Structures are given as structure tokens and as C-alpha cells.
Amino acid sequence: MVRVVEYYTRFQGVRNRLTGLPPWARFLLFLASLPGILLIALSILAFLASLLALLLLTVPLYRLLKLVTGTGEQAPGAETRDSDAADFGSPGRKRVEATIVDVPPAEQGM
């Protein structure tokens, strides 16, 4: 917690020093930091473009492989279970059944 307070006071000090500068000096500082800001924005854009390229290449292949291997087909009883899901209010909700077995303390091996 002490470090958080220390970092916060450092941040406040830097902010006070920057706001204490005249407007023309702040403008020059902004111009000096502009290339770095642009590089960060371009790297984020490049990451998003590579992610999009990855998805554009892999999703069609994944669907094709699912179709070829037959794992994309639904089981015959899957349609009846989908109608049961509507009873719970939304299609994403499903019924889960569980059995809890309580072991007496003497049988736990303690």
C-alpha cells in the first residue's frame, strides 16, 4: 500500500510540473511525444489486422474440417434437449443434475 501512495504522489508531482509549464512548452512536449503515440496506435492497429487475418484463414478451415470429420453434426437426441432448454427462460441455460454423497467422518480415514 505504501508503494501505491508513493506512485500516486510521483504522478501528482509530474502532473503539477507539466501543468506548471507555459502553453507553448506543453505544445512542444506534445509534438515531441507525437511519434511515440502514433507508433503505439499503429502497433495496436497491426495487432488487430493480424488477428483478423488469422481468423479469416482459420475459421473456414475449422468449419471445413468439422464438416469432413463429422463432428459438426448434432446428435439425434439434441433437438429434444433444445426444446427442454426453453423451459428455463433462455436458450443458454441448461439443467444440471448432480448427486452428492456425504461420507461419514469415520470412513474418511482420519
Side-chain angles (χ1 to χ4, degrees):
M1 188 66 182
V2 174
R3 285 189 177 182
V4 172
V5 173
E6 180 182 339
Y7 292 143
Y8 180 72
T9 55
R10 282 187 190 176
F11 172 74
Q12 288 294 336
V14 170
R15 191 176 79 166
N16 288 336
R17 280 183 265 153
L18 286 177
T19 56
L21 290 174
W24 61 268
R26 279 186 278 172
F27 179 71
L28 287 177
L29 190 62
F30 172 74
L31 284 180
S33 64
L34 199 57
I37 293 170
L38 289 176
L39 285 176
I40 289 172
L42 286 175
S43 66
I44 291 171
L45 186 64
F47 171 74
L48 292 175
S50 65
L51 185 63
L52 179 66
L54 175 72
L55 290 175
L56 285 174
L57 292 173
T58 55
V59 169
L61 179 64
Y62 173 73
R63 288 184 180 172
L64 177 70
L65 290 174
K66 252 176 55 171
L67 184 71
V68 169
T69 58
T71 56
E73 299 174 3
Q74 289 185 350
E79 292 178 9
T80 58
R81 287 190 175 177
D82 288 341
S83 64
D84 291 340
D87 297 338
F88 296 112
S90 70
R93 298 177 81 183
K94 296 180 182 177
R95 176 178 293 224
V96 177
E97 295 183 22
T99 304
I100 299 174
V101 178
D102 191 18
V103 180
E107 295 179 15
Q108 288 181 355
M110 289 186 178

